[in-house]
Amino acid sequence: MVKNIASFITLALTICFILSVSFSSDETVDLSKYSTKGLDLNYTVRDNTNEDFNLLASNESFSPYLGKSFVGFKEALAFKESGGDYFSVNTFGYLGKYQFGKETLRMIGIKNSVKFLKNPKLQERAFIANAERNKWILRRDIKNFVGKRINGIIVTESGILAAAHLAGPGNVKKYLRSYGLDNFADGYGTTVREYMKRFSGYDTSFVKPNKKAKAI
């Protein structure tokens, strides 16, 4: 025991001696050696203001492992609609990454479809505005039908919103209130039921019901 205490004291004294020598040195550090004079300094600092919205309303590349997040929802829907192409126009004249019709664009405040097609951030805002408007229109149906099984599919909020993007909220109401008998299909044969199934179970709590939602 005495031997251990002596070893500890010796070690402590050695450390104190080394520190005292280090701090008592008269040598100074020549900071001029580390000058940044003449260097091309170019830093970009990310602005975190409205970070959540900027993440959702951007054309950045996202990880494919988005799971059932809202970003995962909108990117999966965009891939189904257009392959994620902001500049896509289909044979029926639907526009952009999310394939908007001109009438729907007018309802959310967008009158110039040419400018819309050239503006990815506006397309992202349009998607969110349209989802908010649809969620307000379908708020009672979301409350009444989520969790029920229709045509073999468990109804979820994300499935309802995806189907509303495809077919419009009115056709989704008809589908739900007829318990799947009135199953709208678009020009390519894609049905409300298909979107209900494909986009089931995503987190769409980010979308707030808004009767007057506008993209502009």
Side-chain angles (χ1 to χ4, degrees), residues 12-24:
L13 289 172
T14 302
I15 293 172
C16 289
F17 175 75
I18 293 171
L19 291 174
S20 65
V21 171
S22 299
F23 287 110
S24 64

PDB file of all heavy atoms in Angstrom, residues 12-24:
ATOM      1  N   ALA A  12       2.885  12.270  -9.832  1.00  0.00           N
ATOM      2  CA  ALA A  12       2.297  13.611  -9.745  1.00  0.00           C
ATOM      3  C   ALA A  12       3.365  14.680  -9.789  1.00  0.00           C
ATOM      4  O   ALA A  12       3.226  15.711 -10.455  1.00  0.00           O
ATOM      5  CB  ALA A  12       1.468  13.725  -8.460  1.00  0.00           C
ATOM      6  N   LEU A  13       4.473  14.455  -9.069  1.00  0.00           N
ATOM      7  CA  LEU A  13       5.565  15.431  -9.055  1.00  0.00           C
ATOM      8  C   LEU A  13       6.203  15.567 -10.429  1.00  0.00           C
ATOM      9  O   LEU A  13       6.568  16.662 -10.873  1.00  0.00           O
ATOM     10  CB  LEU A  13       6.620  15.013  -8.024  1.00  0.00           C
ATOM     11  CG  LEU A  13       6.200  15.155  -6.545  1.00  0.00           C
ATOM     12  CD1 LEU A  13       7.252  14.538  -5.641  1.00  0.00           C
ATOM     13  CD2 LEU A  13       5.967  16.620  -6.187  1.00  0.00           C
ATOM     14  N   THR A  14       6.303  14.453 -11.151  1.00  0.00           N
ATOM     15  CA  THR A  14       6.882  14.477 -12.502  1.00  0.00           C
ATOM     16  C   THR A  14       6.021  15.305 -13.446  1.00  0.00           C
ATOM     17  O   THR A  14       6.527  16.114 -14.234  1.00  0.00           O
ATOM     18  CB  THR A  14       7.009  13.045 -13.045  1.00  0.00           C
ATOM     19  OG1 THR A  14       7.825  12.279 -12.156  1.00  0.00           O
ATOM     20  CG2 THR A  14       7.646  13.044 -14.436  1.00  0.00           C
ATOM     21  N   ILE A  15       4.719  15.128 -13.364  1.00  0.00           N
ATOM     22  CA  ILE A  15       3.789  15.880 -14.218  1.00  0.00           C
ATOM     23  C   ILE A  15       3.861  17.364 -13.910  1.00  0.00           C
ATOM     24  O   ILE A  15       3.909  18.213 -14.814  1.00  0.00           O
ATOM     25  CB  ILE A  15       2.346  15.360 -14.042  1.00  0.00           C
ATOM     26  CG1 ILE A  15       2.226  13.925 -14.589  1.00  0.00           C
ATOM     27  CG2 ILE A  15       1.345  16.279 -14.735  1.00  0.00           C
ATOM     28  CD1 ILE A  15       0.905  13.263 -14.294  1.00  0.00           C
ATOM     29  N   CYS A  16       3.912  17.715 -12.616  1.00  0.00           N
ATOM     30  CA  CYS A  16       4.000  19.125 -12.217  1.00  0.00           C
ATOM     31  C   CYS A  16       5.279  19.767 -12.736  1.00  0.00           C
ATOM     32  O   CYS A  16       5.288  20.913 -13.197  1.00  0.00           O
ATOM     33  CB  CYS A  16       3.938  19.237 -10.700  1.00  0.00           C
ATOM     34  SG  CYS A  16       2.313  18.858 -10.017  1.00  0.00           S
ATOM     35  N   PHE A  17       6.384  19.019 -12.720  1.00  0.00           N
ATOM     36  CA  PHE A  17       7.662  19.539 -13.198  1.00  0.00           C
ATOM     37  C   PHE A  17       7.614  19.824 -14.707  1.00  0.00           C
ATOM     38  O   PHE A  17       8.038  20.872 -15.177  1.00  0.00           O
ATOM     39  CB  PHE A  17       8.784  18.529 -12.895  1.00  0.00           C
ATOM     40  CG  PHE A  17      10.125  18.925 -13.463  1.00  0.00           C
ATOM     41  CD1 PHE A  17      10.881  19.940 -12.869  1.00  0.00           C
ATOM     42  CD2 PHE A  17      10.612  18.307 -14.605  1.00  0.00           C
ATOM     43  CE1 PHE A  17      12.098  20.306 -13.416  1.00  0.00           C
ATOM     44  CE2 PHE A  17      11.822  18.679 -15.144  1.00  0.00           C
ATOM     45  CZ  PHE A  17      12.574  19.683 -14.547  1.00  0.00           C
ATOM     46  N   ILE A  18       7.035  18.884 -15.437  1.00  0.00           N
ATOM     47  CA  ILE A  18       6.939  19.062 -16.891  1.00  0.00           C
ATOM     48  C   ILE A  18       6.084  20.277 -17.240  1.00  0.00           C
ATOM     49  O   ILE A  18       6.432  21.079 -18.108  1.00  0.00           O
ATOM     50  CB  ILE A  18       6.349  17.795 -17.551  1.00  0.00           C
ATOM     51  CG1 ILE A  18       7.340  16.632 -17.402  1.00  0.00           C
ATOM     52  CG2 ILE A  18       6.034  18.035 -19.024  1.00  0.00           C
ATOM     53  CD1 ILE A  18       6.770  15.293 -17.819  1.00  0.00           C
ATOM     54  N   LEU A  19       4.945  20.455 -16.547  1.00  0.00           N
ATOM     55  CA  LEU A  19       4.061  21.586 -16.810  1.00  0.00           C
ATOM     56  C   LEU A  19       4.729  22.909 -16.469  1.00  0.00           C
ATOM     57  O   LEU A  19       4.596  23.888 -17.205  1.00  0.00           O
ATOM     58  CB  LEU A  19       2.762  21.445 -16.014  1.00  0.00           C
ATOM     59  CG  LEU A  19       1.812  20.314 -16.455  1.00  0.00           C
ATOM     60  CD1 LEU A  19       0.646  20.197 -15.490  1.00  0.00           C
ATOM     61  CD2 LEU A  19       1.297  20.585 -17.874  1.00  0.00           C
ATOM     62  N   SER A  20       5.499  22.929 -15.353  1.00  0.00           N
ATOM     63  CA  SER A  20       6.152  24.173 -14.955  1.00  0.00           C
ATOM     64  C   SER A  20       7.219  24.584 -15.947  1.00  0.00           C
ATOM     65  O   SER A  20       7.386  25.760 -16.263  1.00  0.00           O
ATOM     66  CB  SER A  20       6.764  24.021 -13.556  1.00  0.00           C
ATOM     67  OG  SER A  20       7.817  23.060 -13.573  1.00  0.00           O
ATOM     68  N   VAL A  21       7.912  23.605 -16.514  1.00  0.00           N
ATOM     69  CA  VAL A  21       8.933  23.903 -17.515  1.00  0.00           C
ATOM     70  C   VAL A  21       8.286  24.435 -18.786  1.00  0.00           C
ATOM     71  O   VAL A  21       8.762  25.379 -19.405  1.00  0.00           O
ATOM     72  CB  VAL A  21       9.779  22.640 -17.828  1.00  0.00           C
ATOM     73  CG1 VAL A  21      10.682  22.890 -19.023  1.00  0.00           C
ATOM     74  CG2 VAL A  21      10.602  22.247 -16.618  1.00  0.00           C
ATOM     75  N   SER A  22       7.143  23.821 -19.152  1.00  0.00           N
ATOM     76  CA  SER A  22       6.463  24.229 -20.377  1.00  0.00           C
ATOM     77  C   SER A  22       5.974  25.668 -20.302  1.00  0.00           C
ATOM     78  O   SER A  22       6.147  26.461 -21.221  1.00  0.00           O
ATOM     79  CB  SER A  22       5.268  23.306 -20.663  1.00  0.00           C
ATOM     80  OG  SER A  22       5.715  21.983 -20.840  1.00  0.00           O
ATOM     81  N   PHE A  23       5.348  26.040 -19.177  1.00  0.00           N
ATOM     82  CA  PHE A  23       4.754  27.373 -19.041  1.00  0.00           C
ATOM     83  C   PHE A  23       5.766  28.460 -18.728  1.00  0.00           C
ATOM     84  O   PHE A  23       5.496  29.627 -18.911  1.00  0.00           O
ATOM     85  CB  PHE A  23       3.649  27.368 -17.974  1.00  0.00           C
ATOM     86  CG  PHE A  23       2.399  26.671 -18.423  1.00  0.00           C
ATOM     87  CD1 PHE A  23       2.024  25.456 -17.863  1.00  0.00           C
ATOM     88  CD2 PHE A  23       1.609  27.210 -19.424  1.00  0.00           C
ATOM     89  CE1 PHE A  23       0.889  24.816 -18.286  1.00  0.00           C
ATOM     90  CE2 PHE A  23       0.462  26.572 -19.851  1.00  0.00           C
ATOM     91  CZ  PHE A  23       0.098  25.364 -19.283  1.00  0.00           C
ATOM     92  N   SER A  24       6.944  28.059 -18.215  1.00  0.00           N
ATOM     93  CA  SER A  24       7.969  29.054 -17.874  1.00  0.00           C
ATOM     94  C   SER A  24       8.872  29.384 -19.048  1.00  0.00           C
ATOM     95  O   SER A  24       9.729  30.240 -18.967  1.00  0.00           O
ATOM     96  CB  SER A  24       8.813  28.553 -16.691  1.00  0.00           C
ATOM     97  OG  SER A  24       9.523  27.387 -17.048  1.00  0.00           O
TER      98      SER A  24
END
